[in-house]
Amino acid sequence: MPKKARDGTDTWGLLDYLYGPGKRDEHTDPHMVASWDDPYVEDPARSLNMTIADLALILDAPVHALLCKRPARHVYHVAVRNPPEDRLLTDEEWARVAREMMHASGIAPHGDDQACRWVAIRHADDHIHIVATQARQDGRLPRLRQDIVQMHAVARNFEVEFGLRRLKHGDKTARIWPKTGEQEKAARRGLSEPVRETLQRTVREAAAAAVSDSDFFARLTASGVRVKQRVAPDGNVTGYSVAMPGDRDGGQHAVWFSGARLASDLSLPRVRERWQNPVRVPAVAPAEMWREAELRVRAAAEQLGAGGLHQGAGDVAALGDLIVIAAVIAPRMVRDRLKDVAFEFERASRVPGDRALEGQSRRLYRESAYLLSRSAAAAGRSDTVSGLGFLLALVTAIEASRRWHQAQEHRAQAEASGKAGRLLREAVEVTAGASAARAYRPRPKRNAARSAGVRRKPAASGERPMAGVVQEALPVHAREVLADPAWPALRTRLAAVEKAGEDPVDVLAAVAARRELGSADSVAEVLTWRLDGWQRERGATAAANGGGSLSTAPGGTDRLGTTRKPETPGATRRPPGDEQHRGPRRAR
């Protein structure tokens, strides 16, 4: 991913920084990987005959020899970076990237020996910096038109050739990411994320739930951000800006972000589109909130995009708002996962071009969002299990949006829908596991049956062969599960279940029976997610009971069905009849 920095005036200062340790000692082994005149330009990091000052003078020489007016800022600087999940490129591969980038930008076309001078420096595994001077060696200025666009096209070709993660050609719907300075500022202040990210999420949640201008601005104010409206001379509000309290620039002025600077669909005109066609939903009881929303989402998924391109664009935008609202009021166990779903689906909710606002699917999604946002006060009383049907409906809706994007050849949006769908399926399986834990009842007959025959010596916690557990609980899927790459993670979860004092065979059978497994891409992974939900639900139950959830009254049976001995009198027990002298007996 090439990123062009602002043009500068100090070639030596930039080179000195690139070859130095960095601001936080993050530069390791700085060295040159390519230049305009390989192999004759020596590397200051490898040669005693070349210093950084010498290299800067050589690069700047054509600038002083220009036959025309010297540009005010002649230093051209581009950083080319790979994401962390990509493999590390060699110096030779980075050298090829640098040469092609300089050719595409117009700085140094192939075969032009009078082109601008440039060097490519690598001081980290995942990126290089290209430094050039905007002065040709024949005394003319270079022609730079659409340079960054052309470099991005080159980057897409290298992603295919080198087998790297493939990014997308720009369609002006991409997320606006925080700048490097914003990230560094957040780190200095000890914030978990840059202010731009926080504001973007806050504004999006307010816009998704609002039903009017006044409601939108009231929600923003209630969220704790500073709001400034732009009012035209005729009194109409034409825009807005938001700022975080305490966020100031070097001059101690508040840092304001307009809606359009946060995201293309958060400008005031695009925000107002959400309530252009008002929706009305009958009041429902909090217990019916998820069910009513589920019915609407399933109906909308069947009609998504049925009215054409523009209507489909409006449909997926409304679906994006619904996911944002669902993430805000979702049960606590899956709330973080739903927020990740909303983050990934954001790109899928934006489509190039216009969007229609009167589609039937859009109306149903807006009704669902309004229903959930209006019932947000009851969210604390809605448990994980009650939202399972709604989450399953949402999976269907996201899959419908992915198919529609594929049909329209929106590759970036289809990929975003796929990522969101996978995260949502994980949330569904966690919820299914929690549901199984809530409905679970141990089977005492297992121990009784074993006692009639040869009793198996119990294994120490964590030592029981978990492969046998899978074969006993899931005979149909056992071979597939044991050969799955996700089996080690599932085995760890099963060992944790046994360590908690529960029978892993019964537990695995319970979570497997909660929902079908035939459509799963990875049965072991699905079962791992369900056991995560199981353990969270059981942990929450144990915490609510003030301790372990397996304890029972004296002389009773625990959840595994084993008989406990009644408590015997000890030396500290009161003698019979002593209660009348000691006051009322305390409950045990």
Side-chain angles (χ1 to χ4, degrees), residues 440 446-447 450 464 497 501-508 560:
Y440 175 68
R446 292 180 56 82
N447 289 333
R450 288 174 182 167
R464 184 176 183 180
V497 168
E502 299 184 279
D503 190 333
V505 176
D506 283 351
V507 171
L508 185 60
L560 297 181

Side-chain angles (χ1 to χ4, degrees), residues 193-337:
E193 62 183 359
V195 168
R196 180 192 293 270
E197 292 284 326
T198 305
L199 289 174
Q200 185 183 104
R201 182 175 60 255
T202 302
V203 173
R204 189 171 298 281
E205 291 173 358
V211 296
S212 64
D213 281 23
S214 59
D215 186 24
F216 172 61
F217 290 119
R219 289 176 182 272
L220 284 180
T221 303
S223 67
V225 303
R226 300 178 63 186
V227 184
K228 182 170 61 177
Q229 300 181 24
R230 185 171 65 248
V231 182
D234 59 0
N236 291 323
V237 178
T238 59
Y240 73 97
S241 298
V242 290
M244 287 293 293
D247 184 31
R248 299 185 177 277
D249 58 17
Q252 294 302 304
H253 300 109
V255 180
W256 293 93
F257 292 85
S258 66
R261 283 185 60 198
L262 296 175
S264 59
D265 58 340
L266 293 182
S267 64
L268 187 57
R270 299 300 292 268
V271 167
R272 281 171 168 162
E273 289 179 356
R274 290 165 166 84
W275 51 81
Q276 180 171 321
N277 296 327
V279 296
R280 294 176 176 82
V281 181
V284 298
E288 297 296 323
M289 173 184 68
W290 294 111
R291 178 60 179 167
E292 288 293 328
E294 175 190 348
L295 295 176
R296 286 171 169 78
V297 171
R298 290 192 183 280
E302 298 176 357
Q303 305 176 44
L304 191 148
L309 174 61
H310 297 322
Q311 182 174 312
D315 294 344
V316 294
L319 176 57
D321 284 345
L322 173 60
I323 297 173
V324 169
I325 295 297
V328 173
I329 71 167
R332 191 172 300 277
M333 183 177 295
V334 294
R335 191 171 299 170
D336 289 341
R337 283 181 171 86

Side-chain angles (χ1 to χ4, degrees), residues 333-530:
M333 183 177 295
V334 294
R335 191 171 299 170
D336 289 341
R337 283 181 171 86
L338 263 293
K339 288 182 178 180
D340 291 339
V341 173
F343 179 87
E344 292 293 346
F345 193 80
E346 181 189 321
R347 180 73 183 272
S349 67
R350 290 192 293 266
V351 177
D354 298 329
R355 55 186 180 184
L357 308 176
E358 58 277 346
Q360 177 70 6
S361 182
R362 176 184 173 86
R363 183 182 64 79
L364 290 170
Y365 286 140
R366 288 294 299 164
E367 287 180 359
S368 301
Y370 180 59
L371 179 65
L372 295 183
S373 63
R374 193 173 62 176
S375 304
R381 297 192 296 273
S382 62
D383 55 40
T384 306
V385 178
S386 63
L388 179 57
F390 171 77
L391 295 181
L392 288 169
L394 211 54
V395 169
T396 304
I398 291 180
E399 178 60 23
S401 75
R402 187 186 66 82
R403 292 195 302 267
W404 181 79
H405 281 307
Q406 286 180 330
Q408 305 300 326
E409 298 184 355
H410 298 155
R411 188 164 65 90
Q413 286 79 2
E415 184 176 339
S417 296
K419 291 181 179 178
R422 172 171 164 69
L423 289 170
L424 185 57
R425 285 192 294 273
E426 180 179 349
V428 166
E429 301 302 345
V430 169
T431 306
S435 176
R438 181 165 298 186
Y440 175 68
R441 296 294 180 270
R443 296 185 296 175
K445 292 186 293 186
R446 292 180 56 82
N447 289 333
R450 288 174 182 167
S451 62
V454 179
R455 296 181 64 86
R456 184 174 61 186
K457 181 180 180 180
S461 179
E463 297 179 0
R464 184 176 183 180
M466 293 303 158
V469 170
V470 174
Q471 291 167 348
E472 186 176 351
L474 303 172
V476 176
H477 298 284
R479 184 185 298 271
E480 178 185 356
V481 169
L482 296 177
D484 197 302
W487 161 239
L490 176 59
R491 181 176 56 205
T492 301
R493 302 304 194 282
L494 290 172
V497 168
E498 185 183 42
K499 187 176 180 180
E502 299 184 279
D503 190 333
V505 176
D506 283 351
V507 171
L508 185 60
V511 298
R514 201 62 187 175
R515 291 189 63 241
E516 56 85 22
L517 294 170
S519 62
D521 295 331
S522 170
V523 174
E525 188 174 43
V526 166
L527 292 173
T528 301
W529 292 336
R530 292 186 190 177

Side-chain angles (χ1 to χ4, degrees), residues 41-355:
V41 179
E42 297 182 75
D43 184 1
R46 301 286 190 268
S47 173
L48 297 176
N49 299 321
M50 178 72 74
T51 66
I52 296 176
D54 293 336
L55 181 59
L57 287 173
I58 296 174
L59 285 170
D60 282 341
V63 178
H64 300 291
L66 280 173
L67 301 177
C68 55
K69 183 179 179 180
R70 177 177 173 175
R73 297 178 177 272
H74 66 277
V75 180
Y76 188 90
H77 178 202
V78 175
V80 189
R81 185 182 302 271
N82 277 353
E85 58 267 26
D86 277 348
R87 69 174 178 86
L88 298 181
L89 302 184
T90 65
D91 282 354
E92 291 73 20
E93 288 172 326
W94 276 122
R96 280 194 57 205
V97 171
R99 295 187 189 102
E100 293 300 325
M101 291 286 180
M102 291 295 92
H103 168 73
S105 67
I107 289 288
H110 293 325
D112 187 352
D113 57 0
Q114 296 298 311
C116 301
R117 296 179 177 181
W118 60 272
V119 293
I121 300 167
R122 183 180 189 181
H123 57 204
D125 290 335
D126 62 349
H127 70 278
I128 61 172
H129 291 264
I130 306 175
V131 180
T133 48
Q134 299 184 58
R136 290 174 52 85
Q137 298 178 67
D138 57 8
R140 296 184 292 117
L141 294 175
R143 296 188 62 184
L144 306 179
R145 296 190 62 184
Q146 298 291 312
D147 52 338
I148 191 64
V149 174
Q150 298 299 328
M151 285 189 283
H152 273 278
V154 169
R156 303 295 83 78
N157 294 333
F158 275 119
E159 288 162 3
V160 176
E161 179 181 347
F162 292 161
L164 308 176
R165 188 185 73 168
R166 297 184 63 183
L167 301 181
K168 304 92 183 171
H169 289 287
D171 59 3
K172 298 183 179 181
T173 63
R175 185 180 183 87
I176 301 177
W177 296 98
K179 302 183 185 303
T180 303
E182 295 171 0
Q183 295 173 338
E184 294 175 348
K185 183 179 180 181
R188 289 194 305 269
R189 297 179 60 194
L191 303 178
S192 60
E193 62 183 359
V195 168
R196 180 192 293 270
E197 292 284 326
T198 305
L199 289 174
Q200 185 183 104
R201 182 175 60 255
T202 302
V203 173
R204 189 171 298 281
E205 291 173 358
V211 296
S212 64
D213 281 23
S214 59
D215 186 24
F216 172 61
F217 290 119
R219 289 176 182 272
L220 284 180
T221 303
S223 67
V225 303
R226 300 178 63 186
V227 184
K228 182 170 61 177
Q229 300 181 24
R230 185 171 65 248
V231 182
D234 59 0
N236 291 323
V237 178
T238 59
Y240 73 97
S241 298
V242 290
M244 287 293 293
D247 184 31
R248 299 185 177 277
D249 58 17
Q252 294 302 304
H253 300 109
V255 180
W256 293 93
F257 292 85
S258 66
R261 283 185 60 198
L262 296 175
S264 59
D265 58 340
L266 293 182
S267 64
L268 187 57
R270 299 300 292 268
V271 167
R272 281 171 168 162
E273 289 179 356
R274 290 165 166 84
W275 51 81
Q276 180 171 321
N277 296 327
V279 296
R280 294 176 176 82
V281 181
V284 298
E288 297 296 323
M289 173 184 68
W290 294 111
R291 178 60 179 167
E292 288 293 328
E294 175 190 348
L295 295 176
R296 286 171 169 78
V297 171
R298 290 192 183 280
E302 298 176 357
Q303 305 176 44
L304 191 148
L309 174 61
H310 297 322
Q311 182 174 312
D315 294 344
V316 294
L319 176 57
D321 284 345
L322 173 60
I323 297 173
V324 169
I325 295 297
V328 173
I329 71 167
R332 191 172 300 277
M333 183 177 295
V334 294
R335 191 171 299 170
D336 289 341
R337 283 181 171 86
L338 263 293
K339 288 182 178 180
D340 291 339
V341 173
F343 179 87
E344 292 293 346
F345 193 80
E346 181 189 321
R347 180 73 183 272
S349 67
R350 290 192 293 266
V351 177
D354 298 329
R355 55 186 180 184

Side-chain angles (χ1 to χ4, degrees), residues 442 444 447 455 501 550 552 555-565:
N447 289 333
R455 296 181 64 86
L550 304 181
T552 58
T557 58
D558 61 16
R559 292 189 66 89
L560 297 181
T562 57
T563 304
R564 299 180 59 192
K565 294 181 180 180

